[in-house]
Amino acid sequence: MKARLNEQQIPCREAEYYERCADGTAVCRLCPHNCRLKEGARGHCRSRMNREGRLWTDAYGKVCAVQVDPVEKKPLLHFHPGEDCLSLAAAGCNLSCRNCQNWRISQAAPDELDFRCLAPDDVVALAEKASCRLVAYTYTEPLTYLEYTRDCARACSEAGLQNILVTAGYVNEAPLKDLLPYVSAANVDLKSFSDNLYKSVCGASLAPVLRSLELMKEAGVWIEITNLLIPGVNDDMEMIRRMCRWLAAHGFGENPLHFTRFFPQYRMSELYPTPVRTLVRAREVAAECGIRHVYLGNV
């Protein structure tokens, strides 16, 4: 276990969104993996664990990264531009993207990292101390520790702050609906428009992400979408065209779409950076399909 960076202790928290089974296993219902866990086992996210037939969220209150960022870094370009946001993360992610840039914290269990114990009220106090009206749950996957994200977001909302999700959107409907009343904006990382690529590159599937986008829109959350283009993997223009047509047909024509440039890292270090001409062509395709606000990132 890594060292705690302050003296405060937050009690271990039983998870929500799971089923206890007669054989001592626990079935997590937080995300579409629906992990069935034996005693002592962790889920895909590494942050939810079966102890004596009960599911526990080990990430609750264990913040492994916290800093102040410009909101444009999320990226959100049409939501309070020019403002800073308090950004925080706990360990874990329910995807296993081969290109993850934050793999050291996303692909780790909470107790494998240094962490700082922060209760929801502590997050409010930190944001106010930093003069931030915005709080972002980012860097890893905030939906894997949804109970903590929700409690922090609720405390921040009650204090007059606004909450931002930076997420891959891979979650079941019921938990997401519990969180959305406290969320003002989200950047959703739409990995590709191919279920096969979701499975082979990220260990997930496409349909739940599209459903999360729809639920966020129905809840009135401001949404911006990021699509990282990886050379030879998800940079096929016909697939990008299908994605943009789906977005336009489902009411996302006015929501900013960010095509971002890939750089070799983690388990895709053998590839080369995305040619800028690929991003420029993707922007042209998106415009042709009715997406009005298209941006290029990491260029």
Side-chain angles (χ1 to χ4, degrees):
M1 181 183 295
K2 292 287 186 175
R4 294 173 176 82
L5 301 183
N6 66 358
E7 296 301 321
Q8 179 186 358
Q9 300 295 307
I10 295 178
C12 194
R13 175 74 174 264
E14 185 173 0
E16 302 173 33
Y17 315 109
Y18 81 97
E19 299 171 10
R20 299 184 67 184
C21 302
D23 62 359
T25 61
V27 180
C28 182
R29 297 301 185 189
L30 179 63
C31 86
H33 287 309
N34 294 311
C35 297
R36 189 182 188 96
L37 304 176
K38 296 180 180 180
E39 170 66 26
R42 293 183 182 272
H44 277 76
C45 64
R46 300 171 180 81
S47 65
R48 302 170 85 80
M49 184 177 186
N50 181 348
R51 295 193 185 95
E52 299 180 351
R54 296 180 181 272
L55 193 67
W56 298 84
T57 170
D58 282 353
Y60 194 98
K62 298 176 180 177
V63 174
C64 65
V66 59
Q67 64 185 44
V68 175
D69 292 323
V71 70
E72 289 84 358
K73 186 180 175 182
K74 297 302 104 187
L76 289 172
L77 298 186
H78 290 214
F79 183 78
H80 294 283
E83 290 205 29
D84 288 335
C85 54
L86 180 73
S87 299
L88 66 149
C93 182
N94 55 352
L95 273 63
S96 51
C97 300
R98 298 179 62 216
N99 59 291
C100 182
Q101 66 177 356
N102 290 328
W103 61 272
R104 290 177 180 84
I105 58 176
S106 72
Q107 305 300 304
D111 287 344
E112 294 175 342
L113 302 173
D114 289 334
F115 60 83
R116 178 179 182 181
C117 293
L118 293 176
D121 288 345
D122 297 327
V123 174
V124 173
L126 275 179
E128 292 176 340
K129 183 178 180 180
S131 300
C132 293
R133 296 190 301 162
L134 311 175
V135 176
Y137 310 89
T138 180
Y139 305 139
T140 58
E141 177 49 75
L143 298 179
T144 63
Y145 41 93
L146 186 142
E147 295 91 347
Y148 181 61
T149 301
R150 182 202 59 211
D151 291 354
C152 289
R154 179 165 51 205
C156 288
S157 293
E158 291 171 353
L161 308 176
Q162 291 185 280
N163 296 288
I164 297 167
L165 280 181
V166 181
T167 176
Y170 196 64
V171 66
N172 288 332
E173 288 192 24
L176 181 60
K177 287 180 178 178
D178 287 345
L179 172 62
L180 289 180
Y182 310 108
V183 176
S184 296
N187 185 287
V188 178
D189 193 355
L190 184 53
K191 307 291 184 176
S192 73
F193 210 67
S194 162
D195 197 58
N196 287 335
L197 284 177
Y198 256 91
K199 290 175 181 175
S200 62
V201 177
C202 305
S205 55
L206 172 61
V209 181
L210 300 181
R211 182 58 182 150
S212 291
L213 282 168
E214 293 175 325
L215 291 173
M216 290 178 187
K217 190 169 189 64
E218 291 170 9
V221 173
W222 174 251
I223 302 166
E224 302 193 19
I225 298 164
T226 294
N227 182 213
L228 177 74
L229 296 184
I230 306 173
V233 177
N234 67 340
D235 59 348
D236 176 74
M237 290 301 150
E238 284 309 307
M239 183 174 65
I240 292 170
R241 190 180 301 277
R242 291 196 303 272
M243 178 185 74
C244 293
R245 284 175 174 167
W246 185 92
L247 291 171
H250 288 79
F252 295 93
E254 297 290 332
N255 294 86
L257 174 60
H258 303 259
F259 290 114
T260 56
R261 192 182 190 197
F262 163 86
F263 287 94
Q265 56 196 330
Y266 194 34
R267 295 177 178 171
M268 285 189 166
S269 59
E270 77 283 2
L271 299 182
Y272 53 88
T274 313
V276 174
R277 64 179 179 274
T278 300
L279 281 81
V280 171
R281 179 57 187 143
R283 181 172 60 187
E284 294 170 349
V285 168
E288 292 167 4
C289 294
I291 309 299
R292 289 195 58 196
H293 308 286
V294 186
Y295 301 96
L296 306 185
N298 293 344
V299 294

